[in-house]
Amino acid sequence: MSIPYPFTALVGMRDMQLGLLLNSVNPAIGGVLIRGEKGTAKSTAVRALASLLPQQRVVPGCRFSCDPAAPDPGCPDGPHEFGGDGQPRAANLVELPVGASEDRLVGALDIERALSEGVKAFEPGLLADAHRGVLYVDEVNLLHDHLVDLLLDAAAMGSSYVEREGVSVRHASRFLLVGTMNPEEGELRPQLLDRFGLTVEVTASRETDERVDVVRRRLAYDADPAAFAAKWAAEEDALRESIAAARELLPRVRLGDAVLRQIAATCAAFEVDGMRADLVMARTATALAAWAGRTGVTQEDVRQAALLALPHRRRRNPFDAPGLDEDKLDETLQQHSGPDDGDDPDPGPDDPDGPDGGGTPPPQQPGGSPDQETSPPGEQPPPQDEQQDAPQEQPSPPAASAEEGPNANDDEDDPGKAPGASGGAAPQQPAAPASEPFRARTLYVPGLGEGAAGNRSRARTAHGRTTGARKPQGTLGRLHLAATVQAAAPHQRARGRDGRGLLLRRDDLREAVREGREGNLVLFLVDASGSMAARQRMSAVKGAVLSLLLDAYQRRDKVGMVTFRRAGAEVALPPTSSVEAAAARLESLPTGGRTPLAEGLLKAREVLRVERLRDPSRRPLVVAVTDGRATGGAEPVERARRAARLLAADGTASVVLDCEAGPVRLGLAGALAADLGGSAVTLEELRADAVTDLVRHATDPRAGTTAPAAASAASDSPHTQPQTRRAA
């Protein structure tokens, strides 16, 4: 068994350590979600915490880790006798992989044994293994929503209920839930975020001394884990005793009415939904008091509890930065401070083992560092310098080519070029702000995919409506009973059936084929040339793209962005699940110069080629945001048409967002859409409330446009077909 990195040897990351320790004192808080950049010791801290938890005793042979002192009366392996010493063991650390199935998480009936042997055998899942231990979910934001919902339900209720394939099982499942995620990979849905008790943000230290200490300690651990752990054994034992003492003190902590009023007022001031925030704050504040060795809750406990329990619950738009307004928090607490109803927060005799009396515990004992006494606790692997979602450093656009003379007819549309000026690059203009986003109509990829779970295009998935059956490919999934019977029926006479039942063999088994929805890669190809800025359309264009980004956020898509202007194209954002990063890049998008449409299309094709190698099952959708003009380089129009046809030949679904405005329109975006094999939609038509009018106009014989022609145009569009079916 590998030796975990000592918890007390961690450098910095005090909020993360505090959140983990409070949940170890009171798992009823509901777990902690750790959000942070890569290389910040998230996984290291969780594995280190598991080794700190006190040893426990379990009923011998019980697969559900029942406590012999108080066994679960409804344990599937029971009934167990009360009392007894039981079998000692360390607390379990169960890691839930991102690719886990529902059967692996909650357990299920062994269908093959049930059909071939007639035995109802329940196989426990990871929720049973995690009982009385730690359940760790790395990259929880990449886990399927229905799995996140299942484990959060179990964490909240302390039990797991399995009702499937004729089996009905309930077993205890109380564990310390820890989820980690990198926001660059995408966010959790708000309804799932709310189910985590606490959340903390972690970043790598920018202090040179701390970073040196991180590297020194990590190298020492890698060289000799046993010797390194021995150095910190005394600090680990002291912290382990502090956790046990806080657990024992917790039932005696008093929560006065004045403190409850502060908690309620704080939750109301930050407009959190529901009552879960109030309960979590109350449990966190009492855990803070117990950790400090006190039997009364102070205002500082409430403040610290709010900083941990409310940032992910406050009402905010998906692209707003997380966090809490601490000035508003202090003002709210001050306004509702009052007498403590006689619940004097007496420090008590246990305080020396707790923190510094302010409700913020140092997870390390004073002076406990064997190799550097003054260094704060907290550890992470050496952080990486590359930050994918840092929008402040925008690559400089390429300079305009001097060979573009005959095609440089965007110069007159470039607001950065003075009237009558010629030659040279136009000065860069301030980025236009985005207009107010709106609910955009649904864009989707035609056909049937097999990509990651989402809510955009049709796909074969493990969940959804049943559309057929097939022979199992590997482990049997959901049994398709009718198809299994049909496969076995023709062979009954040959198998010597005696009329008393159906004889089944393994080859007869059929599993259900289900159809659901997948997430796609939505690649935005944004025209940032002077023709877009001169007519003051960039604000509207940014608002439209922001609306599509909001839609991508809700449908669990990956997004990327390619921009083109002046003499070339650049990848403003590589494909990522972080729509916040895309929104930040869009906000600072510069404009001006010619329109190298061909370069933009070719750059988009190259991005998709690389992404197919990384994730071949995720189907792409290119959203070209342009007026269709092509003015950069030699033969710009013909080169753009050839590039568009190359994209179409790759089978890439495309939609052109037509940004042309004014009374006279050239229809260039429609021609581009035809070359791409997609459809064009105007900014006005992109709004979801325009879809009904568009479909009604296409199907109403009294409308000015003939119904067959309009219906044909709608059916050719890769983004109107679902709405047409709903309207019909």
Side-chain angles (χ1 to χ4, degrees):
M1 181 178 178
S2 61
I3 300 174
Y5 193 94
F7 192 85
T8 50
L10 300 172
V11 179
M13 309 299 173
R14 295 179 64 87
D15 286 344
M16 177 175 66
Q17 296 181 70
L18 176 60
L20 291 170
L21 289 170
L22 292 178
N23 272 275
S24 66
V25 171
N26 184 10
I29 289 173
V32 57
L33 176 65
I34 305 172
R35 296 162 41 97
E37 59 197 28
K38 45 190 174 288
T40 47
K42 300 186 292 292
S43 300
T44 300
V46 176
R47 297 186 179 103
L49 177 73
S51 64
L52 282 177
L53 298 181
Q55 268 205 338
Q56 54 190 222
R57 293 187 175 273
V58 298
V59 174
C62 178
R63 297 174 298 167
F64 301 89
S65 305
C66 281
D67 184 356
D72 180 13
C75 177
D77 285 354
H80 304 301
E81 293 184 2
F82 284 81
D85 293 337
Q87 179 180 345
R89 72 163 194 193
N92 273 351
L93 171 63
V94 177
E95 299 192 31
L96 178 63
V98 171
S101 64
E102 183 177 344
D103 292 350
R104 186 73 186 96
L105 178 63
V106 302
L109 175 71
D110 189 332
I111 298 176
E112 294 187 22
R113 288 189 60 191
L115 289 175
S116 58
E117 303 175 22
V119 177
K120 275 193 176 183
F122 176 71
E123 289 294 328
L126 295 178
L127 291 180
D129 295 339
H131 181 46
R132 302 176 64 203
V134 179
L135 180 60
Y136 172 45
V137 189
D138 193 15
E139 305 294 351
V140 65
N141 52 324
L142 303 183
L143 199 65
H144 291 180
D145 278 354
H146 74 283
L147 294 182
V148 179
D149 214 12
L150 284 172
L151 70 90
L152 291 177
D153 278 340
M157 297 186 297
S159 299
S160 176
Y161 295 86
V162 184
E163 300 280 353
R164 53 191 308 177
E165 286 96 18
V167 65
S168 178
V169 173
R170 173 260 170 213
H171 62 83
S173 184
R174 292 182 293 275
F175 47 81
L176 194 166
L177 175 65
V178 183
T180 59
M181 59 175 283
N182 184 346
E184 292 179 3
E185 303 284 345
E187 290 285 353
L188 274 174
R189 298 294 172 268
Q191 67 271 23
L192 299 179
L193 273 174
D194 181 59
R195 305 297 294 274
F196 277 95
L198 310 179
T199 185
V200 293
E201 300 279 338
V202 293
T203 56
S205 173
R206 300 297 184 258
E207 295 293 330
T208 302
D209 291 340
E210 282 195 7
R211 296 174 75 99
V212 168
D213 202 27
V214 167
V215 177
R216 180 187 298 116
R217 294 187 186 187
R218 187 71 202 192
L219 291 177
Y221 170 78
D222 292 340
D224 191 346
F228 185 82
K231 279 187 177 182
W232 295 88
E235 286 72 21
E236 293 286 284
D237 290 340
L239 188 56
R240 191 176 291 110
E241 292 174 3
S242 297
I243 294 173
R247 285 183 171 184
E248 184 178 352
L249 181 62
L250 183 65
R252 304 200 302 271
V253 175
R254 300 186 300 274
L255 196 66
D257 286 344
V259 172
L260 284 174
R261 283 184 170 275
Q262 285 185 321
I263 291 173
T266 301
C267 293
F270 285 97
E271 299 181 342
V272 297
D273 295 326
M275 296 298 298
R276 184 174 285 117
D278 303 64
L279 293 170
V280 171
M281 276 190 64
R283 291 166 180 157
T284 305
T286 55
L288 281 163
W291 179 249
R294 291 184 271 101
T295 57
V297 177
T298 66
Q299 178 172 311
E300 183 59 30
D301 294 333
V302 177
R303 185 182 191 278
Q304 184 65 57
L307 292 174
L308 293 171
L310 295 188
H312 61 300
R313 290 187 169 92
R314 68 178 179 86
R315 289 184 180 177
R316 64 185 182 95
N317 292 325
F319 302 142
D320 290 347
L324 212 61
D325 186 343
E326 295 193 30
D327 292 337
K328 180 179 179 180
L329 173 61
D330 292 335
E331 181 181 350
T332 302
L333 292 175
Q334 189 63 34
Q335 287 177 353
H336 294 85
S337 62
D340 205 24
D341 304 299
D343 290 336
D344 183 22
D346 180 38
D350 299 319
D351 191 55
D353 284 336
D356 51 354
T360 306
Q364 176 178 325
Q365 299 301 313
S369 171
D371 53 359
Q372 187 172 349
E373 295 185 357
T374 59
S375 64
E379 161 70 358
Q380 68 269 25
Q384 302 181 21
D385 293 332
E386 294 183 1
Q387 301 300 326
Q388 182 179 3
D389 63 341
Q392 64 269 25
E393 295 185 6
Q394 186 74 15
S396 300
S401 171
E403 299 178 358
E404 293 181 355
N407 301 304
N409 52 9
D410 268 352
D411 287 344
E412 63 184 8
D413 294 328
D414 191 339
K417 182 175 282 294
S422 62
Q428 186 165 303
Q429 297 298 303
S435 62
E436 190 69 22
F438 51 83
R439 189 167 67 89
R441 58 195 293 187
T442 305
L443 310 178
Y444 77 99
V445 178
L448 192 64
E450 294 183 351
N455 193 26
R456 181 173 298 278
S457 305
R458 296 171 55 213
R460 294 186 181 93
T461 60
H463 301 273
R465 63 186 182 92
T466 301
T467 59
R470 66 182 177 186
K471 284 190 175 183
Q473 300 175 353
T475 304
L476 178 65
R478 293 293 183 94
L479 179 71
H480 195 297
L481 183 58
T484 299
V485 172
Q486 288 176 0
H491 308 290
Q492 296 306 298
R493 184 182 298 275
R495 294 174 185 175
R497 178 194 173 197
D498 56 8
R500 291 179 298 177
L502 188 67
L503 298 179
L504 294 178
R505 294 181 180 174
R506 184 181 297 272
D507 290 341
D508 300 329
L509 299 180
R510 297 292 184 271
E511 66 181 4
V513 175
R514 297 175 179 272
E515 182 178 310
R517 292 280 171 176
E518 67 175 359
N520 297 110
L521 166 59
V522 182
L523 182 64
F524 292 94
L525 178 60
V526 182
D527 183 351
S529 65
S531 65
M532 299 287 287
R535 301 185 180 108
Q536 299 181 354
R537 288 174 286 165
M538 188 49 70
S539 291
V541 167
K542 286 185 175 182
V545 176
L546 190 62
S547 303
L548 292 172
L549 284 172
L550 283 166
D551 184 68
Y553 169 82
Q554 295 166 352
R555 299 182 186 279
R556 301 201 68 176
D557 294 317
K558 291 182 72 172
V559 296
M561 188 181 299
V562 172
T563 63
F564 57 94
R565 61 190 288 261
R566 292 185 175 173
E570 63 181 6
V571 181
L573 182 72
T576 174
S577 294
S578 175
V579 294
E580 289 87 351
R585 298 292 172 91
L586 181 70
E587 187 68 26
S588 59
L589 181 67
T591 58
R594 297 182 176 90
T595 311
L597 179 57
E599 282 72 13
L601 293 167
L602 292 174
K603 179 66 73 173
R605 184 170 182 254
E606 175 63 19
V607 169
L608 295 181
R609 184 190 67 81
V610 174
E611 193 63 20
R612 283 192 186 99
L613 298 176
R614 295 175 177 170
D615 190 358
S617 63
R618 190 181 290 269
R619 298 186 295 161
L621 172 65
V622 172
V623 180
V625 186
T626 179
D627 55 9
R629 298 180 66 182
T631 61
E635 299 183 352
V637 176
E638 185 57 33
R639 289 175 56 247
R641 296 194 65 183
R642 287 198 299 266
R645 290 166 184 164
L646 285 174
L647 263 178
D650 292 339
T652 304
S654 304
V655 175
V656 178
L657 184 56
D658 185 358
C659 302
E660 193 173 22
V664 179
R665 303 194 181 191
L666 303 178
L668 300 176
L672 173 63
D675 289 328
L676 287 168
S679 63
V681 57
T682 65
L683 291 174
E684 294 79 12
E685 292 171 346
L686 183 64
R687 296 180 179 271
D689 52 11
V691 174
T692 303
D693 295 337
L694 180 67
V695 174
R696 183 184 302 117
H697 187 72
T699 56
D700 188 353
R702 295 170 296 179
T705 304
T706 59
S712 175
S715 66
D716 289 339
S717 169
H719 58 273
T720 57
Q721 190 171 348
Q723 288 85 351
T724 304
R725 285 198 296 265
R726 286 197 295 269

